[in-house]
Amino acid sequence: MFLNPQDVTKITSIGGGPIGVGWAAHFLARGFDVTLYLHDAAEIPTARAILDTAWISLAGLGIAPNASIERLSIVHDLEEAVSEAEFIQESAPERLEVKQALYRRLGEIVPEGVVIGSSTSGLTMTDIQAECPTPKRTVIGHPFNPPYLLPLVEIVGGRKTDPGTVSWAADFYRLAGKEPLVMKKEIPGFIATRLQEALWREALHMVANGEASPGDIDTALMYGPAPRMAVQGQCMAFHVACGAGGMATNLDQFGPALKLPWTRLTAPELTKELRDRMVDGCNEIAAGRGFEELAAKRDRQIVALLKAVRDAA
């Protein structure tokens, strides 16, 4: 029997990268006690830097009255990290053998009645839970980066996941300030990542063929569909775009154009030339700015956008 979602106060976040630490920052800002498991003490400076950057933006959006960055504990022993956990968010490296070994161990040491959610962006829970002795309580909880700002979390179980685990996870994430999307079935890449990958494939094709630079592509998105997608998404944007006739008019009028060769669909070969064009183009956009400066600017702008959308609702 799981603890009621509203009664959860102690969370363990596994992983020292931007996702694992980002989740820790999010939960801290919502007033939880958080234990962050890092594989090695050498990861602490990077984790602290991510956390400090995240906290600036979280404070700008508004944190819970009882929230404090001091409610974070960092440990390097996995058994210690999960001993008092009431929910676990796993963000280990995206390698199946690593995930399977981790879930085999978690299934043995995590207290009964504790749900384990995975941040994986491409693996399925059916594969991840294959060697876990307690697979019924394992579920995908896939965030969008940075998880401390973007509300989406996609939720889906594996073949051995109890349906009640999926429902519990949706309730918990909602109470924890996320926007849960419970998927209808388990598919590779989930929903948001697959949509993002379609854009990514087209961008790579255009760069590879000399049709656009990385800067051109980002300009087209930032000042074209991206602001509209923040408030309407893809389907409603096209529904509203055609006036009173809505989506019916859109499909009847523009449907035949779907067969035009605008898209190449399959991914291009990642040649050294394409790789170098992408790297050089992104370095040109960055103009000498490092990760911390770029991430801080990104977060400030996302905060402003989220607040604007929230205020206009």
Side-chain angles (χ1 to χ4, degrees):
M1 179 66 69
F2 300 142
L3 191 67
N4 286 332
Q6 62 267 29
D7 294 331
V8 172
T9 62
K10 298 177 181 180
I11 293 175
T12 293
S13 182
I14 297 175
I19 302 300
V21 181
W23 269 117
H26 169 78
F27 288 127
L28 285 168
R30 302 297 298 189
F32 292 95
D33 292 312
V34 178
T35 298
L36 176 62
Y37 169 76
L38 302 180
H39 181 68
D40 194 294
E43 298 177 276
I44 291 178
T46 298
R48 286 288 185 188
I50 295 171
L51 185 60
D52 290 342
T53 298
W55 202 255
I56 294 171
S57 299
L58 287 164
L61 275 177
I63 60 178
N66 59 336
S68 171
I69 204 168
E70 300 303 320
R71 296 179 69 173
L72 175 72
S73 299
I74 297 177
V75 301
H76 310 296
D77 179 86
L78 185 61
E79 191 162 354
E80 178 186 357
V82 303
S83 62
E84 297 183 1
E86 295 167 345
F87 173 72
I88 294 172
Q89 185 73 42
E90 171 271 313
S91 306
E94 194 76 340
R95 298 199 301 274
L96 182 57
E97 67 276 11
V98 172
K99 298 275 196 190
Q100 288 180 336
L102 176 59
Y103 276 71
R104 183 170 60 247
R105 181 66 177 138
L106 291 175
E108 297 169 347
I109 64 175
V110 172
E112 293 184 14
V114 175
V115 171
I116 306 170
S118 177
S119 301
T120 181
S121 60
L123 302 174
T124 66
M125 181 46 69
T126 293
D127 288 338
I128 293 172
Q129 68 185 195
E131 300 178 13
C132 180
T134 56
K136 292 184 177 181
R137 46 132 166 223
T138 62
V139 66
I140 299 293
H142 169 239
F144 240 51
N145 195 15
Y148 53 86
L149 289 184
L150 298 183
L152 179 69
V153 57
E154 296 175 300
I155 302 168
V156 65
R159 288 179 193 153
K160 297 179 181 178
T161 301
D162 190 298
T165 302
V166 175
S167 299
W168 187 95
D171 291 341
F172 169 73
Y173 282 122
R174 186 176 293 106
L175 287 166
K178 303 298 283 185
E179 185 65 35
L181 171 59
V182 177
M183 296 180 56
K184 292 178 171 54
K185 60 174 65 176
E186 192 178 35
I187 58 173
F190 317 119
I191 297 174
T193 299
R194 288 180 67 162
L195 293 170
Q196 181 174 257
E197 286 301 309
L199 277 172
W200 182 229
R201 284 195 301 272
E202 295 301 304
L204 289 175
H205 273 299
M206 286 187 277
V207 171
N209 292 326
E211 298 162 348
S213 69
D216 294 334
I217 289 163
D218 284 359
T219 295
L221 289 172
M222 290 164 58
Y223 300 103
R228 185 177 64 191
M229 283 186 175
V231 296
Q232 288 187 321
Q234 180 66 73
C235 298
M236 282 306 296
F238 277 18
H239 177 73
V240 175
C242 287
M247 183 59 77
T249 296
N250 185 295
L251 293 175
D252 293 343
Q253 183 173 348
F254 298 107
L258 295 175
K259 295 294 185 180
L260 293 178
W262 291 351
T263 177
R264 297 171 176 90
L265 291 179
T266 57
E269 286 295 323
L270 187 56
T271 62
K272 184 178 187 303
E273 182 182 8
L274 174 54
R275 182 259 183 203
D276 290 346
R277 285 186 188 180
M278 291 301 302
V279 171
D280 293 344
C282 290
N283 284 337
E284 183 178 344
I285 297 169
R289 293 170 294 175
F291 165 75
E292 290 187 4
E293 183 179 355
L294 291 170
K297 180 181 179 182
R298 174 201 65 189
D299 289 1
R300 287 196 305 271
Q301 292 174 321
I302 291 176
V303 167
L305 177 62
L306 291 174
K307 291 173 77 171
V309 172
R310 182 177 64 193
D311 293 344

